[in-house]
């Protein structure tokens, strides 16, 4: 193995201080992705700053929002009474991810920071602009069955692999970021990036910043919701396509609706046009079908993933149907 | 073994050791001075190594040696021209991407891993092809006959039949991926004495291969492999990586351990080769088959040929006067394949049993009725009676249990929202083999029986089966019987493969027990004791602490008179989501027709494991290569999908459990392979019944349902 220094800290302040000192330092939380990347030679941090003892594991209601600490485990969030009651969509999405063992150690912040599962990214003998800018994209004309159909660039067609983040973008979460000077909050949908000309960057976290938590507004979406993940086996597989769907109806009219997709883009993909269309309309199959068609504007396949052009709208329809039948 | 934990006599004898972590696998042996080897692999697909820079690796902390074709120790067989093409470290040729080109040995695994990353090779590249379909289409690409063409009656008779079909089926590469990673510990000591702790399906085979490569006497080599964490065929040979480890130990004079990575499991220990098959079937309007043509093309490597029994089943499974088969292997620039559970027969059964279902549909017949109508009374290929065959009874049991009566012959008839329900059936068949094995039995005055044979247990429960055979014959309680295996110094037995262990070694256990009983009876008679006296009393009366008998056992003339096969019927009920393309197997009923069931619990486990492997073959497993680079894309457990618990429904296992009168004294036929053979076709047939979509390319993933 390549040697690295292991440091452990117990406060946000000292964690950030250690981070800014060394640009080859990385935070270590659950390590479920980072350690794999180190083993495969994709990344080789000189310092690992273990932040597991930083007290950021709280889940609580603050006013009309739910606060979740960045170091809360995926299991703790999914099983928390407040989350299950007020934000069941998030709980469902989390449970669709990884395996029980991984969820027990994987954290909220780590989940947001996980990197793509593109095979070319992981194999250091293959070209990958994300791993090594300028080497080309192996997937573009190679094996791209798992890859993006929205927002791709000529540099990278990788997808963001998270399930949790799909629910969070749908729920209008905010991310709390801290640096040495203080905190800032950004909307969740602005946290992750499209690949563009900088495929090496997955998100807008700055080099001196640390994710400390999330805030999620409480909504009326706890009745009609569904997280539908279509994958190659029933558990422990990344999404071919996943859909987070939730809506609120009054007199059979949709007054609030959230739709987001996973497995289709370099970032969690919110379906704004479909939401706009559904608002004020009846929760009917015809409307769901039209909303699904609207979501597919500008979708583009790369051969191996062409099936997603059909699977994605179908999954939107099925997720909305299941959300509707839940009431 | 902690026999006191056995709850009933049918329990797995080593179950307690396995679930408590006390069973010791090869990688867990700590030898004094143990060192750790890591293999450096080629990053090109074809060509020659032009230079190998090992300097920085050699200087890295903890490194003891870097061994390659530049400095390898002598392996006598590799000095000669003949022998295998892939003479590890005796060649600078690269045959495939991921081929081992050097081994780095260090005092820790981590240090060896790091140093291995410092070895730099340069290559002279040659053009290559890893794409089997491309090779098949290329008229200039090499093709070799894999098995003699077979013809009975008229060739291609299906073409002139009243009802005919001709379809093409594709099976991708599958990788065995047992939980336990492959590897070996080799300890080469002075005077050419060698001890190895191996992961092998045959300790005698490992011993023989190493003896042959290094030209040292068999008796100088001790091979230990008491527990194996799954093999599925990949441990049926001694791989170049194992020879490399022995070389490393010979070179440094210390024990060396190698455990390969999950990624290397895709390139160093074989796979189920991809196959393209065409089946032509002809039938008359009454539903009698009039012609079967099965043509198969299998993938192989450029440096070694691999063949298997892909087209065997077509020759005898159905009553048909006109049958012809051909099997051609096509070399590509990949590592050589090896048998994977069910081997070629599982590949062939997917095509044949899918086509049979297609023909039943074309005839508008229930596929079960169609099979029964064409069930042969005798083996038309060998022109012999079957030693035993209870297929019709098996069909009936399975059909009742799955609820076949609820099936509609018209596809797409059973709907519930987006979910479509379907039922499928298929047949599996495999040679009921019996080889030659020796077993030593030691009957002791303390009331115990020790049995020994150099056989293996890769999971089926060899020791349990053997113990139960002895238990029935000797009337000795199972907790007083010990069966030792996985040690090359024990009486010889063949490798564990081809579903033959219970039949082969079990017969020798039988013969030893019979001999022990008659010796005891003789002793009793000579000492004026009652013929029914307990053996403990007889031994004591004769002042004997123990008696010891070794017997070799093998099949006799019965083999020439009868056609011997094990059969299985698989029924599945699936639900298919027409919107998302997800296939969910709802229920499985498997019926085994393999003679007497000697060990009911482990036999059931075999059938369950076979069904799980069958789900993988049908729905999830595929090793994917980027043919531009010749490298695997999904070589890890996240992306190569073996079925998980959530994919596996209730599996209802049934056995006919009627003794075969001829095969062996137990009347028991092997069943490891039949547990999987045919299963994937049952799923594909059920998917067709659910949706009307015929998927002829495995695995059946959501994209194929939506296409």
């Amino acid at each position: 193995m390549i040697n690295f220094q292991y440091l452990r800290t117990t406060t946000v302040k000292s964690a950030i201080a250690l981070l800014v000192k060394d640009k080859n330092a990385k935070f270590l939380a659950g390590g479920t992705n980072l350690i794999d990347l180190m083993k495969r030679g994709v990344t080789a941090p000189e310092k690992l700053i273990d932040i597991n003892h930083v007290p950021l594991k709280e889940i609580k209601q603050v006013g009309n929002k739910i606060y979740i600490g960045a170091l809360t485990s995926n299991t703790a969030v999914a099983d928390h009474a407040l989350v299950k009651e007020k934000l069941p969509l998030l709980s469902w999405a989390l449970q669709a991810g990884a395996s029980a063992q991984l969820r027990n150690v994987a954290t909220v912040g780590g989940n947001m920071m996980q990197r793509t599962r593109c095979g070319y990214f992981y194999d250091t003998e293959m070209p990958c602009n994300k791993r090594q800018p300028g080497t080309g994209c192996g997937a573009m004309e190679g094996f791209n069955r798992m890859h993006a159909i929205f927002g791709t660039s000529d540099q990278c067609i990788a997808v963001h692999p998270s399930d949790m983040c799909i629910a969070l973008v749908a729920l209008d979460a905010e991310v709390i970021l801290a640096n040495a000077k203080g905190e800032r909050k950004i909307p969740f949908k602005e946290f992750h990036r499209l690949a563009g000309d900088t495929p090496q960057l997955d998100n807008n976290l700055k080099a001196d910043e640390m994710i400390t938590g999330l805030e999620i507004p409480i909504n009326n979406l706890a009745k009609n919701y569904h997280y539908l993940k279509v994958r190659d086996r029933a558990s422990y597989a990344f999404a071919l396509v996943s859909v987070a769907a939730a809506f609120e109806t009054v007199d059979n009219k949709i007054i609030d609706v959230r739709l987001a997709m996973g497995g289709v883009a370099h970032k969690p993909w919110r379906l704004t046009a479909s939401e706009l269309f559904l608002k004020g309309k009846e929760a009917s199959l015809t409307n769901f079908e039209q909303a699904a068609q609207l979501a597919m504007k500008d979708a583009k396949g790369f051969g191996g993933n062409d099936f997603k052009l059909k699977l994605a709208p179908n999954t939107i329809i099925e997720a909305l149907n299941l959300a509707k039948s839940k009431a | 073994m902690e026999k006191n934990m056995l709850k009933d006599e049918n329990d797995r004898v080593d179950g307690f050791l396995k679930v408590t972590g006390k069973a010791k696998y090869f990688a867990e042996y700590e030898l004094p001075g143990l060192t750790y080897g890591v293999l450096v692999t080629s990053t090109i697909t074809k060509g020659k190594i032009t230079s190998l820079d090992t300097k920085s690796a050699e200087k890295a902390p903890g490194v003891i040696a870097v061994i390659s074709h530049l400095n390898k120790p002598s392996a006598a067989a590799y000095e000669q021209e003949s022998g295998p093409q892939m003479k590890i470290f005796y060649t600078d040729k690269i045959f495939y991407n991921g081929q081992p080109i050097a081994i780095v040995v260090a005092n820790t695994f981590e240090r060896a891993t790091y140093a291995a990353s410092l070895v730099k090779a340069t290559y002279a590249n040659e053009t290559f092809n890893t794409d089997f379909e491309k090779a098949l289409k290329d008229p200039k690409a090499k093709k070799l006959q894999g098995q003699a063409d077979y013809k009975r009656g008229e060739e291609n008779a299906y073409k002139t039949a009243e009802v005919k079909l001709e379809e093409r089926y594709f099976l991708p590469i599958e990788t065995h991926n047992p939980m336990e990673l492959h590897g070996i510990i080799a300890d080469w000591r002075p005077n050419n004495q060698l001890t190895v702790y191996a992961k092998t399906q045959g300790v005698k085979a490992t011993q023989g291969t190493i003896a042959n490569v290094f030209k040292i006497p068999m008796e100088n080599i001790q091979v230990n492999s008491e527990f194996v964490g799954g093999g599925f065929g990949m441990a049926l040979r001694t791989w170049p990586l194992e020879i490399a480890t022995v070389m490393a130990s010979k070179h440094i004079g210390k024990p060396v351990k190698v455990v390969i990575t999950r990624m290397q499991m895709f390139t160093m220990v074989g796979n189920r080769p991809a196959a393209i098959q065409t089946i032509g079937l002809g039938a008359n309007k009454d539903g009698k088959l009039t012609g079967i043509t099965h043509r198969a093309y299998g993938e192989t490597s450029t440096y070694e040929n691999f063949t298997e029994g892909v087209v065997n089943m077509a020759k005898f499974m159905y009553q048909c006067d006109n049958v012809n088969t051909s099997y051609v292997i096509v070399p590509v620039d990949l590592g050589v394949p090896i048998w994977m559970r069910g081997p070629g027969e599982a590949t062939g059964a997917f095509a044949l049993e899918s086509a049979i279902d297609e023909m039943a549909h074309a005839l508008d017949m229930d596929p079960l009725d169609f099979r029964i109508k064409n069930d042969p009374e005798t083996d038309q290929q060998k022109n012999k009676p079957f030693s035993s065959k209870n297929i019709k009874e098996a069909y009936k049991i399975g059909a009742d249990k799955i609820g076949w009566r609820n099936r509609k012959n018209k596809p797409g008839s059973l709907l519930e929202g987006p979910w479509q329900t379907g039922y499928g059936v298929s047949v599996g068949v495999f040679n009921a083999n019996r080889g030659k094995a020796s077993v030593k039995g030691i009957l002791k005055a303390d009331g115990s029986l020790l049995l020994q044979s150099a056989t293996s247990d890769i999971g089926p429960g060899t020791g349990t089966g053997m113990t139960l055979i002895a238990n029935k014959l000797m009337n000795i309680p199972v907790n007083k019987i010990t069966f030792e295996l996985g040690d090359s110094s024990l009486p010889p037995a063949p490798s564990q493969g081809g579903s033959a262990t219970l039949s082969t070694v079990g017969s020798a256990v039988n013969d030893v027990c019979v001999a022990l009983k008659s010796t005891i009876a003789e002793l009793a008679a000579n000492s004026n004791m009652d013929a029914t006296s307990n053996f403990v009393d007889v031994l004591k009366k004769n002042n004997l602490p123990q008696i010891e008998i070794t017997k070799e056992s093998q099949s006799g003339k019965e083999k020439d008179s009868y056609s011997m096969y094990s059969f299985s019927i698989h029924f599945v009920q699936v639900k298919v989501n027409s919107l998302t393309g997800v296939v969910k197997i709802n229920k499985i009923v498997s019926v085994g027709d393999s003679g007497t069931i000697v060990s009911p619990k482990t036999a059931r486990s075999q059938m369950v494991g076979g069904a799980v492997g069958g789900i993988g073959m049908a729905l999830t497993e595929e090793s994917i290569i980027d043919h531009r680079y010749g490298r695997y894309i999904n070589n890890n457990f996240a992306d190569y999908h073996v079925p998980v618990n959530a994919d596996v429904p209730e599996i209802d296992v049934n056995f006919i459990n009627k003794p075969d009168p001829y095969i062996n004294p137990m009347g028991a036929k092997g069943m490891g392979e039949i547990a999987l053979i045919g299963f994937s076709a049952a799923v594909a047939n059920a998917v067709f019944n659910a949706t009307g979509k015929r998927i002829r390319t495995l695995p059946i993933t959501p994209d194929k349902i939506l296409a």
Side-chain angles (χ1 to χ4, degrees):
Chain A
M1 65 189 280
I2 301 170
N3 285 332
F4 58 86
Q5 200 181 357
Y6 172 85
L7 305 163
R8 185 189 283 183
T9 183
T10 54
T11 67
V12 171
K13 205 177 153 189
S14 64
I16 292 168
L18 286 168
L19 182 73
V20 296
K21 260 207 294 207
D22 190 338
K23 74 176 201 304
N24 289 319
K26 273 192 159 58
F27 288 140
L28 173 69
T32 57
N33 189 203
L34 179 60
I35 303 298
D36 276 354
L37 292 166
M38 289 168 70
K39 281 177 156 178
R40 294 290 302 263
V42 176
T43 185
E46 287 167 13
K47 278 183 190 167
L48 283 188
I49 306 160
D50 184 343
I51 53 172
N52 283 295
H53 297 264
V54 178
L56 291 171
K57 297 183 181 174
E58 212 179 349
I59 300 174
K60 61 185 176 189
Q61 184 166 348
V62 182
N64 64 346
K65 292 177 177 177
I66 307 279
Y67 166 86
I68 298 172
L71 287 163
T72 320
S73 78
N74 286 189
T75 299
V77 178
D79 291 351
H80 198 278
L82 207 50
V83 176
K84 282 164 94 170
E85 187 202 332
K86 311 271 189 199
L87 307 168
L89 181 66
L90 176 58
S91 181
W92 276 50
L94 277 162
Q95 283 177 3
S99 64
Q101 294 91 330
L102 287 166
R103 293 194 296 269
N104 286 342
V105 284
T107 63
V108 166
N111 192 320
M112 290 164 62
M113 294 297 290
Q114 67 179 308
R115 310 216 62 189
T116 185
R117 294 285 165 165
C118 173
Y120 298 91
F121 176 69
Y122 274 78
D123 185 346
T124 53
E125 297 300 329
M126 302 259 220
C128 173
N129 286 325
K130 181 178 276 299
R131 178 172 30 79
Q132 207 178 339
T135 54
C137 173
M140 198 86 69
E141 286 168 17
F143 175 72
N144 53 37
R145 181 168 176 271
M146 301 300 292
H147 289 70
I149 52 171
F150 291 114
T152 53
S153 80
D154 57 2
Q155 299 278 303
C156 179
I157 59 170
V159 295
H160 180 70
S162 168
D163 293 297
M164 178 193 80
C165 293
I166 309 308
L168 287 172
V169 80
L171 292 168
D172 283 339
E174 280 192 302
V175 187
I176 309 166
L177 304 169
N179 68 7
K181 289 180 198 136
E183 279 186 2
R184 67 173 176 131
K185 287 184 194 173
I186 62 166
F188 195 90
K189 64 172 192 259
E190 286 168 24
F191 182 79
H192 293 100
R193 300 163 59 98
L194 287 181
D197 293 333
T198 52
Q200 70 275 21
L201 300 178
D202 296 345
N203 54 59
N204 292 312
L205 186 74
K206 291 179 183 152
D208 66 343
E209 282 181 324
M210 176 177 181
I211 306 166
T212 61
L214 297 169
E215 284 180 358
I216 308 156
I218 293 172
N219 49 47
N220 287 319
L221 302 167
K223 222 164 78 182
N224 292 110
Y225 67 91
H226 197 85
Y227 186 77
L228 181 59
K229 182 177 183 182
V230 181
R231 44 186 153 176
D232 285 329
R233 64 180 164 192
S235 174
Y236 191 49
F238 292 96
L240 296 168
V241 167
S242 68
V243 171
F247 57 81
E248 179 189 355
T249 54
V250 172
D251 300 333
N252 206 27
K253 289 270 180 305
I254 294 172
I255 60 159
D256 188 7
V257 56
R258 312 293 175 82
L259 282 169
M261 254 197 289
V264 295
H266 195 260
K267 60 185 285 186
W269 198 247
R270 181 87 179 249
L271 309 180
T272 316
S274 306
E275 291 178 5
L276 263 173
F277 169 81
L278 285 172
K279 234 173 237 180
K281 293 200 176 65
E282 198 187 329
S284 69
L285 181 60
T286 323
N287 286 331
F288 293 166
E289 285 170 349
Q290 285 195 50
Q293 280 320 309
L294 279 171
M296 297 311 293
K297 190 170 175 285
D298 299 328
K300 180 187 164 195
F302 292 85
N305 65 351
D306 287 351
F307 73 96
K308 290 189 182 182
L309 302 176
K310 186 171 177 188
L311 176 59
N314 281 3
T315 309
I316 296 169
I317 295 163
E318 179 74 336
L320 283 164
N321 279 335
L322 290 164
K324 185 184 172 188
S325 63
K326 199 159 275 169
Chain B
M1 293 197 188
E2 314 232 359
K3 294 284 186 57
N4 54 341
M5 293 302 292
L6 293 179
K7 290 281 185 284
D8 78 55
E9 65 173 26
N10 292 322
D11 280 354
R12 195 179 275 262
V13 293
D14 48 7
F16 180 79
L17 294 176
K18 285 189 166 174
V19 299
T20 56
K22 288 180 182 167
K24 207 165 175 179
Y25 294 81
F26 86 89
E28 299 178 299
Y29 284 86
E30 284 298 330
L31 308 189
L34 184 63
T35 66
Y36 301 83
V38 167
L39 293 150
V40 181
T41 56
S42 76
T43 55
I44 68 153
T45 303
K46 193 177 184 181
K48 264 194 165 78
I49 305 170
T50 49
S51 76
L52 196 68
D53 180 358
T54 59
K55 276 192 220 77
S56 24
E58 279 157 5
K59 280 186 216 146
V63 170
I64 298 158
V66 181
I67 299 140
S68 69
H69 67 290
L70 301 173
N71 65 339
K72 76 277 174 184
S74 158
Y78 289 179
E79 310 273 356
Q80 297 158 4
E81 276 301 307
S82 62
Q85 276 234 334
M86 169 69 89
K87 296 171 179 161
I88 188 163
F89 301 162
Y90 269 76
T91 179
D92 55 1
K93 266 190 175 172
I94 300 299
F95 298 99
Y96 68 90
N97 213 313
Q99 177 184 324
I101 56 169
I103 183 168
V104 177
V105 185
N107 59 1
T108 72
F109 170 70
E110 290 77 10
R111 285 174 153 176
T113 300
Y114 173 62
S117 75
L118 302 176
V119 175
K120 295 290 171 237
T122 57
Y123 304 95
N125 274 287
E126 290 169 31
T127 55
F128 63 87
N129 176 41
T130 56
D131 186 342
F132 173 51
E133 293 202 77
K134 192 174 144 191
L136 195 56
K137 278 181 214 141
D138 179 359
K140 281 179 287 178
K142 205 166 160 187
K143 281 145 200 114
L144 305 157
Q145 194 169 44
Q147 190 184 70
D149 288 353
Y150 174 80
K151 195 175 87 168
R152 175 168 82 229
E154 187 192 332
E155 188 168 345
N156 297 333
Y158 75 94
K159 288 188 174 170
T160 53
E162 285 176 7
V163 183
K164 63 181 171 186
L165 64 83
E166 186 187 316
E167 296 295 348
R168 186 175 188 269
Y169 303 85
F170 180 78
L171 182 90
I173 295 173
E174 273 189 277
T175 305
H176 306 63
N177 272 318
M179 190 71 89
E180 183 191 32
L181 298 165
H182 199 62
I184 190 169
I185 296 175
D187 185 11
W188 189 294
R189 293 182 309 282
N191 304 317
N192 294 334
Q193 297 290 319
L194 175 67
T195 299
V196 303
Y197 296 86
K199 170 177 179 152
T200 177
Q201 295 180 225
V203 284
K204 296 303 288 183
T206 300
Q207 184 190 34
T209 302
I210 295 173
N212 188 42
V213 170
F214 292 92
K215 298 286 178 222
I216 58 173
M218 289 266 278
E219 50 274 20
N220 284 23
I221 305 169
Q222 170 63 36
V223 180
N224 303 305
S225 184
E226 189 183 357
F227 292 99
V228 174
F232 310 114
M234 52 71 58
L236 274 169
R237 67 179 288 178
T238 304
W239 294 97
L241 80 97
E242 294 167 85
I243 300 299
T245 311
V246 176
M247 281 185 186
S249 178
K250 186 180 180 189
H251 187 73
I252 66 167
K254 286 180 177 169
V256 180
K257 169 157 86 176
V258 166
V259 179
I260 64 172
T261 64
R262 183 57 62 185
M263 282 174 284
Q264 291 172 339
M265 291 291 280
F266 286 76
T267 50
M268 290 192 192
V269 290
N271 50 46
R272 187 196 298 281
I276 289 168
Q277 304 174 68
T278 56
I279 303 265
L281 289 183
N284 65 26
K285 282 179 182 151
D286 298 335
K288 288 294 260 181
L289 281 164
T290 57
I292 302 175
T293 298
H294 188 171
R295 298 193 187 281
Y297 302 88
E299 198 167 46
T300 187
S301 76
T302 57
Y303 59 91
E304 200 181 309
N305 294 335
F306 175 79
T307 62
E308 52 185 354
V310 181
V311 296
N312 289 356
M313 184 174 175
K315 298 172 193 170
F316 65 87
M317 191 65 222
Y318 294 102
Q319 184 75 32
C320 185
D321 294 339
N322 306 300
V323 176
N324 61 298
T325 71
S326 67
Y327 172 51
V328 168
I329 51 171
V330 185
V332 292
D333 296 306
L334 290 171
V336 69
I338 195 167
W339 304 282
M340 180 167 165
R341 193 174 189 177
E345 285 78 355
T347 302
F350 165 62
L352 181 64
E353 286 298 293
S354 292
I356 290 287
D357 197 76
E358 298 196 50
M359 179 53 94
H361 180 72
L363 291 161
D364 196 23
M365 273 179 84
D366 180 317
L368 201 49
D369 296 340
F370 179 59
R371 282 180 173 82
I372 291 167
K373 187 158 197 168
N374 290 283
D375 184 51
E377 287 306 317
T378 57
D379 180 336
Q380 283 185 288
Q381 180 196 2
K382 294 180 184 156
N383 203 17
K384 287 175 195 169
F386 292 105
S387 60
S388 64
K389 179 166 171 270
N390 304 286
I391 280 247
K392 285 174 186 157
E393 189 182 341
Y395 280 138
K396 189 174 178 328
I397 292 170
D400 285 347
K401 296 239 177 173
I402 198 79
W404 192 256
R405 65 194 168 278
N406 299 321
R407 178 186 178 275
K408 306 278 179 250
N409 215 31
K410 187 172 179 287
S413 298
L414 299 172
L415 301 171
E416 197 184 338
W419 292 96
Q420 304 169 304
T421 298
Y423 294 82
V425 64
S426 76
V427 181
V429 62
F430 195 77
N431 261 318
N433 293 312
R434 178 180 169 191
K436 183 165 84 177
S438 294
V439 169
K440 181 193 278 184
I442 304 170
L443 198 55
K444 297 180 184 171
D446 65 1
S448 71
L449 171 64
L450 172 64
L451 297 162
Q452 297 176 317
S453 181
T455 181
S456 301
D457 184 9
I458 56 169
T462 308
T464 310
M466 301 308 154
T467 299
L468 286 169
I469 290 170
N471 161 259
K472 299 276 180 314
L473 284 164
M474 305 290 288
N475 204 21
I476 300 173
V478 291
N479 61 4
K480 289 279 189 188
I481 302 170
T482 301
F483 185 84
E484 289 181 352
L485 49 69
D487 173 341
S488 61
S489 68
L490 300 177
S495 297
Q496 183 158 62
S499 301
T501 302
L502 190 100
S503 177
T504 303
V505 184
S507 298
V509 167
N510 175 88
D511 293 0
V512 161
C513 289
V514 168
L516 285 168
K517 275 173 82 170
S518 82
T519 305
I520 290 293
E522 262 174 53
L523 285 169
N526 294 344
S527 43
N528 297 317
M529 294 174 78
D530 186 357
T532 58
S533 300
N534 184 289
F535 74 88
V536 175
D537 300 332
V538 176
L539 289 174
K540 281 182 179 160
K541 180 90 180 273
N542 286 277
N543 279 326
L544 288 169
Q546 62 181 50
I547 52 169
E548 182 183 308
I549 293 176
T550 301
K551 280 273 174 193
E552 186 184 82
S553 181
Q554 60 183 309
S555 58
K557 286 215 169 73
E558 70 279 1
K559 225 175 189 169
D560 307 326
S561 312
Y562 295 95
S563 164
M564 299 184 181
Y565 287 99
S566 293
F567 302 90
S568 62
I569 320 288
H570 307 286
F571 288 88
V572 300
Q573 186 210 57
V574 302
K575 286 194 186 295
V576 183
N577 190 301
S578 56
L579 279 174
T580 62
V582 167
V583 176
K584 192 174 154 41
I585 301 182
N586 236 28
K587 194 177 178 190
I588 294 169
V589 178
S590 284
V591 189
D593 177 20
S594 59
T596 304
I597 297 302
V598 165
S599 170
K601 279 194 171 181
T602 57
R604 182 182 182 278
S605 286
Q606 282 281 71
M607 292 298 276
V608 168
V612 174
I615 295 172
M617 188 176 184
L619 297 182
T620 61
E621 294 186 47
E622 176 177 15
S623 300
I624 298 158
I625 295 161
D626 186 325
H627 297 302
R628 298 170 302 168
Y629 304 97
R631 289 178 75 81
Y632 284 92
I633 293 290
N634 64 335
N635 49 359
N636 60 73
F637 265 170
D639 299 321
Y640 181 89
H641 299 130
V642 296
V644 294
N645 273 323
D647 295 301
V648 182
E650 179 196 341
I651 301 172
D652 183 351
V653 175
N654 304 270
F655 294 111
I656 298 296
N657 198 10
K658 286 183 183 162
D660 183 293
Y662 307 105
I663 178 126
N664 56 35
M666 297 82 67
K669 301 191 280 191
M671 45 158 301
E673 321 292 347
I674 54 158
L676 185 142
I677 297 169
F679 190 90
S680 59
V683 176
N685 296 342
V687 166
F688 174 76
N689 182 239
T691 65
K693 282 193 174 146
R694 177 62 64 179
I695 313 286
R696 300 186 185 92
T697 297
L698 295 181
I700 305 170
T701 44
D703 46 317
K704 293 186 187 122
I705 298 289
L706 292 184

